[in-house]
Amino acid sequence: MSSYEDLDPLPLILGDQTYSTIDEQIADVVIDQKRHNKKTWFMPIGIAFLLVNVLLVTVGWLLYQGIGIWGNNIPTAWAFDIVNFVWWIGIGHAGTLISAILLLMRQQWRNSINRFSEAMTIFAVMCAGMFPLLHTGRPWVAFYWLFPFPNILGIWPQFKSPLMWDVFAVSTYFTVSLVFWYIGLIPDFATLRDRSTNKYQKYIYAFLSLGWRGSAKHWHRYEQAYLLLAGLSTPLVLSVHSIVSFDFAVSVVPGWNITVFPPYFVAGAVFAGFAMVILLMIPVRKMYGLENIVTMKHFDWMAKITLATGLIVAYGYTLELFYGWYAGTKIEHELLTWRMDFFHKPYSWAYWMLILCNIIVPQAFWNKKCRQSYFWLILVSLSVTVGMWLERFVIIPMSLMNTYLPSSSRMYYPTIWDFSMFIGTIGFFIMMMWLFIRFLPAINVFEVKDLLHKMHVQKRTHKEEAVATTSGGTH
Amino acid sequence: MDTMDPTPKPKLDLEVVRERLSNAKGRHYWRGLEEIAETDEFKNWLDDEFPHRSTLLSIDRRSMLKYMGASLALAGLSGCRGLFLPQTKVVPYVKAPEELVYGKPLFYASIYTQGGIAKGVLVEQHEGRPTKIEGNPDHPASLGAADSFMQASILCLYDPDRAQNVTQSGDISTWETFVSAARDAMKKAGPGGVRILSESITSPSFGAEMARFQKAFPGAQWHQWEPTSQDNITRGSQLAFGRIVNTYHDFSKANVVVSLDAEFFASMPGSLAYSRQFTDGRRLEKPTKSMNRLYSFESMPTITGIYGDHRWAVRASDVENIARTIAGGVGVSVGAHGAGGVDASAINSIVDDLKKNRGSSIVIAGQHQPPVVHQICHEINAALGNVGSTVMYTEPLEVQPVVHLDSLKSLVDDMNSGKVKVLLILGANPVYTAPMDFKFADALKKVPFRAQHSLYDDETGGQCEWHLPEAHFLEAWGDARAYDGTLSIQQPLIEPLFEGRSYAEVLSALRGETTPSYDLVKSHYETGDAKVFEKEWRRWLNQGTANVPKSAKANVSPSGSIAAPTVIGQGAEIIFQLDPTIYDGRFANSGWLQELPKPVTKITWDNVVHMSPATAQSLSVTDEDTVELKFNGQSIQGAAWVTPGHPDNSFTVNLGYGRTRGGTVCEGMAEENLGGAVKRDPWGFNAYALRSSNAMDIGLGAVVQAAGGLTPIATTQIHHTMKGYDIVRSASFEKYQEDPTLKPENAEDRQELEKQSLYPDQVFSYNGPQWGMTVDLNLCTGCNACVTACQSENNIPVVGKLQVKKSRELHWIRLDRYYVADENRDDKNLANPETVFQPMMCVNCEKAPCEPVCPVAATVHSHEGLNQMVYNRCVGTRYCSNNCPYKVRRFNYLNFSDNQEQFNTQVPPAAREPKAHGIELLRMLNNPDVTVRGRGIMEKCTYCVQRINEARIEGKKLGRDPLDGEIITACQQACPTKTIVFGNIADKDSQVSKWRNDPRAYRVLEELQTRPRTSYLGKVRNQNTEISGEAGA
Amino acid sequence: MAKARYYGIAAQFESPDDLMAAVRRSREAGYSRMDAYTPFPIHGLTDEMRFRDERVPLFMFLGGLIGAISGFFLQTYTNAWDYPFNVGGKPLIGYPAWVPITFECTILFSALTGVLSMIIMNGLPQPYDPMFNIPSFARASQDRFFLCIEARDPNFSPTEVTTFLETLNPLTVEAVPR
């Protein structure tokens, strides 16, 4: 069989592939554990593990002392804690978007990256989930007083509070993503079960696969459920970040109470999420030689989406400025100068950095070469990841520092513990990702096979047309 | 234990103890143990961890084992002796007093003395614990109000750093040992060898005791020393009348007041009364055509000058010339003099105003102004016929009126010449406060037998072999005169917590009698039939003032010959002033007062070098820049502070900081390095180091230059102007006549606003009282009394400088201070800006933004319109604070309620060793009616809900709602000017409703639709139209 | 007895197309009880087998409905009936504020019912299945496509079925023991 290049200069699967070659490339990454015993796997997870310990120390100290170890104060009662929360949640969104929305849009190319990005979603939401709990003054009661269960106190949560909406949104989001992810894994577990030679591996994967045997009737129900789950996840992913943005949009704080927040936050989330996928996909792809399955075409399209969402975010920033001006109240004008006056206001650098990272740098993706060069992909993704963090910093602490009554405006400065908490979660995230790569198929095996099948069909029809034309010529 | 024990003392032989313990059995065991416990040595040993050892290192293994063994015994002992080890005598009721109802506080009248002069207080007592100090309405000096000093003195009672035992060179001793040692020394001392140094004292009974003492020890001399520059006033009256008289004023009759650098709202013995009398002349409850007027010439801006109608920023050394100019204007013959840098026309119109108000005006000088200025004031007041109507003269209040500087000087000379053999210091801290050219510490070393009897073992205590614990004024009987000569009895509420004794008790003990303070005081007044007197005495105690003649009226008339101009040199000016919150340094160990923002600068925990914006510019320094201040050949370093309204080329420093001994709070930030050695870095700098006897208050020739580097200062306000928001409304009296609403152009119309709301106007309709508060900014002087009252009533912890710097202070009342930038002037007049105060506490919005955002319903609305905070339910998301437009919510970022060192340490509080009975003592201060908030909990003003509930319960008993005026919030109660009114706004006749419907009434940020229950009334300034606008106020 | 000994006869194919063809042929041959086993879903296969099951979507719809109702009820009951209080002067039943949680509950219930109904109706988890008895079946999850005509088919007879399957150009034809 010749390869697919002649059909499409930039096909989704490169090389001369059969179903078994797919298995060898994806499934055996997990089956053959020896493949991981090299620096490229141990170095990152080693560093990540150190950072996880930093996280543990920070959390321990936090519970022992109280959140006074952070820089938060009055009026800036929310700072790094909520910034990180929103940032992580945002990163999570790309996963669901890729796996659900692109599925509904019948975007075949998603098949090679959805598993990976779903994993990213789950781990990102885990990181995010730490903050709403740990940022409270009394986590030991917060973790159950926020859930509605009949208790001896006779009191219920207060459902008018956006924070309650958060609790429901985030926990639903996590549950559904997890289920979605596991459902997708079941057939692959079966594959692993059948390929693995090691007895224990066999047992474990057999257990996880629930005895899946690929029956057509099962596939029938399976696909119904899978598709509908995707259908549900789509509004879900949109709702989650909208609700997160309600935390701010619902309040009276100047700089928060803006109606554009929900769409603007969702776009920002996807923006950051795709950047993170690109960032993580590049090394993994190299490490495990997946170039044939995750191709430049994938990066090209992810870059395009990044660019598009980036423009939406830029539109959001413009609207913020417009509202500030159009509101016509002094306080809103104050806020604008507070954010933008580079020469007089202490934190204005954050605003301009954010403009640079989120609006200017991503414009490179207009250029095809940049969309397909490792250097530019990594550069832009990094700048977007940083920029989106800064965006939350500009929105949350910087708005709080600027209060209605000038007398209550005070400065906020982060402490070492603010940073260690943040770095720690990054470590946790990387550690989980690397464990995932080692023990689970990082790419959806059966969907790639499905894709391959479809490409066979496509190719055959194409050949037949060709034959038809030539034979017609001979007559 | 920094000093080693010079005299060998009987050591407790622990071997013997162990034997005794091991032999003793059953009941013998306990009896045996208590016997040991009774011995002094064992007491000492109990009290300090390593008796007679300088460091831990000098303990060998064997003795360590001994201590461990015996500490078991101690555990058993403390178990049966209660929390407080034998040296305290606090005991629960065995038989409760008849008037006691458990859970109900009792109030006792007493007096609080500062500088020897009394202010009447009511002390709240819960089950025998004094918990709060309030003003005594029947006392002329307090009229029911209480300043921050009075209220914070309750913290001193429970201060773990207070001197607890008689100590000899740092080791615990006993009164008996001291008295015998002292008596021997005094017998040997011979005539003139025995000296007593006290602060100024007005207590007649102490005077009598002193007389008896001097009879017992012939030639014993009594010196007095207060660092608070009372001398200028004393000398002033000597100049004017040839003798010392006491001057006090009646501002209620004064239509025009000229203040020559006088802060009569704060730093004077009669300040509370003065504030009330003066502001009563400005109340606008009913339409009025007249209002009193205050002109002030000030150096360092004070709340008095800020409050007034016209204020000139003049150097303190120019005030004398201004005084002479005014004097000349009213027809007093004054010598040649300069102008004083204020244009003549202004002064002329002031003079006219004064002349128009003969007999109803006051010219008053600040106590740090030189004597001649005070003399001139006497002359002017006499010329204007104010004497007798607004200015009163009485015989001196002190038992033995002296010029303190001379008194101290003679003592120091005698000490240097070796005449002084025995020196007993009562209360004063001369090593720290004496003029630096006296070199008091060196002189003190020449005295063989020296003892200090004071509340804290301070710098002076460190130089004395003996230190004796003084009884807190709530622990001992006494008496004192108020600013107008009224005599009151000081009634204790609690047995001494430690071994404290009163001054008089010490003297009598030294005479060889051990008369308790009660008898010393009572016997002094006891006359005629004992039964009759007993009734009388009880009445005195009950009403808080004694029915004995006031100090006699002094019929004096000024000589008319004014002393020559005081020349104090050339160059930049330095002004020494008492600190507005820690006074002369005596309150430096009070966390409440240290953390109380200075009224004008809003600085906490520090003193700074105040300078005008122009001066700062010329020195090219700004806030927090370290500057070096050279004067009298001495030099100190401190933070520069740009103070709008401060005169140019002049620097003001506050006394009382840079304390090096006297408690963990005042000694500054502790940095514990490895090995637990504690290094302390004092707050601020010690301005006394520059203060010499020839320039006690004002000196010329100071040199200030930038020293490089920063000195971090914790201030509670970093933005100073209103940026054009409609936050505080103020206008001139004329404008008020035209438009009583004082509404600025940009203000929106309330009715219009209320129409805009999306929600139904009244979702919940309640019958029953609806609580509301109104604050009349026209009366608020910004004196901070309410802040301390709130702190005391609501168990508000102190957080320490580091945390204030992080903007985590917990005061529920934020006393905002705004400079009103004058837009008509290009320099915005920030050199001498109009300044306003605004107490900002939770305004209890009817549509509170904080409530809907709380996920656990920890803040909800009560049916009486209170925005309630449910502490036990709070999980600390802090969302409510973010959503509060007024930012009046406070959060316990750390475990602030359980701190004993007020967090003045780099070591995290939770990781620190608790001090011996430290926190137990401080806990006794807590108001049992208010929840103590732990870590991670949001808190805020609740309109003193505990008082509301109290009144409601009382009302229920009588089957009615609380009447108007029955509920008085803590801030309202303490306020000297009755600025705050609280009550039921549903009742149209209540005072709060009347104020709420006053045309001046407005609500802050009402455009946000929060419907605050607290409204404010705009400020009105009665400015003299003849004077051009260049004098701000 | 034959039915007792066999679960069915399985044929192994190389490509989806062969399988598809085989399914069509065997249906035409009158076999109704059959099942196909593939490494990935092949569209149209179940239609060829005349197999339809629309219950999963139904259950998901019902789940969503229940979720929505219970979400709204939870908030109204707790905040307006069981323990009502005045929060910022807003109406007790602030239905606009109820929307997000109602929505989230809808999604959550619907998703969980969907997944559970799918798993249960597929009879999973099922550690043992006769198909596992043929050794080559391990490749059914990798690169081979199986068709199994089951013994419970009325027209089932081992020999006939085997010969029939041989005609569909399979890689192998094996009896699936019980």
Side-chain angles (χ1 to χ4, degrees), chain A residues 42-53:
Chain A
F42 280 108
M43 287 283 285
I45 202 165
I47 295 164
F49 182 70
L50 287 180
L51 295 181
V52 169
N53 286 291

Side-chain angles (χ1 to χ4, degrees), chain A residues 63-64 67-68 70 72-74 77-78 81 135 137-138 145 158 161 247 251-253 330 334 407 409-410, chain B residues 723 725 804 806-809 816 818 852-855 872-879 882-883 893 935:
Chain A
L63 295 177
Y64 181 58
I67 52 178
W70 292 340
N72 300 33
N73 60 22
I74 304 292
W78 284 355
D81 41 9
H135 98 287
R138 301 200 296 166
W145 280 1
Q158 202 278 100
S161 165
D247 289 349
S251 76
V252 300
V253 179
K330 270 198 150 52
E334 278 288 323
S407 63
S409 297
R410 301 278 285 272
Chain B
K723 300 176 176 174
Y725 299 123
V804 175
K806 284 186 172 158
S807 116
R808 293 171 180 172
E809 67 274 7
D816 293 344
Y818 293 110
V853 298
C854 176
N872 297 347
R873 180 67 176 169
C874 180
V875 299
T877 67
R878 311 188 294 294
Y879 198 172
N882 292 342
N883 214 27
Y893 276 97
R935 158 194 144 191

Side-chain angles (χ1 to χ4, degrees), chain A residues 290-406:
Chain A
L290 301 172
E291 284 87 350
N292 288 341
I293 290 159
V294 181
T295 65
M296 267 305 162
K297 184 161 194 160
H298 293 99
F299 289 112
D300 186 84
W301 284 352
M302 287 197 277
K304 282 177 182 161
I305 292 187
T306 316
L307 179 60
T309 46
L311 292 174
I312 302 179
V313 171
Y315 174 68
Y317 298 151
T318 340
L319 273 185
E320 270 187 325
L321 300 188
F322 174 74
Y323 286 152
W325 166 77
Y326 188 69
T329 62
K330 270 198 150 52
I331 183 71
E332 293 286 352
H333 292 187
E334 278 288 323
L335 184 71
L336 288 191
T337 43
W338 170 247
R339 282 182 181 174
M340 299 173 68
D341 183 346
F342 188 75
F343 297 101
H344 302 90
K345 303 301 183 189
Y347 275 122
S348 46
W349 60 264
Y351 183 81
W352 293 112
M353 270 294 289
L354 134 78
I355 297 296
L356 176 71
C357 294
N358 281 2
I359 299 186
I360 298 173
V361 179
Q363 301 311 317
F365 279 163
W366 287 106
N367 179 334
K368 192 173 168 95
K369 284 198 187 55
C370 298
R371 291 204 301 271
Q372 295 182 16
S373 98
Y374 275 163
F375 171 77
W376 280 101
L377 284 167
I378 292 176
L379 177 77
V380 174
S381 311
L382 271 176
S383 102
V384 168
T385 321
V386 173
M388 285 313 289
W389 193 91
L390 284 172
E391 177 198 304
R392 276 62 178 251
F393 183 81
V394 167
I395 289 174
I396 297 165
M398 278 179 71
S399 302
L400 286 171
M401 272 181 259
N402 176 51
T403 58
Y404 280 101
L405 302 182

Side-chain angles (χ1 to χ4, degrees), chain C residues 120-164:
Chain C
I120 291 167
M121 282 187 273
N122 283 349
L124 301 177
Q126 181 180 1
Y128 168 76
D129 187 85
M131 288 305 289
F132 291 128
N133 293 337
I134 42 177
S136 59
F137 188 73
R139 297 188 71 172
S141 66
Q142 301 174 41
D143 55 355
R144 289 285 185 268
F145 305 81
F146 286 78
L147 172 64
C148 176
I149 295 180
E150 291 162 9
R152 48 202 182 102
D153 188 291
N155 317 350
F156 184 83
S157 98
T159 48
E160 282 172 20
V161 172
T162 318
T163 43
F164 169 72

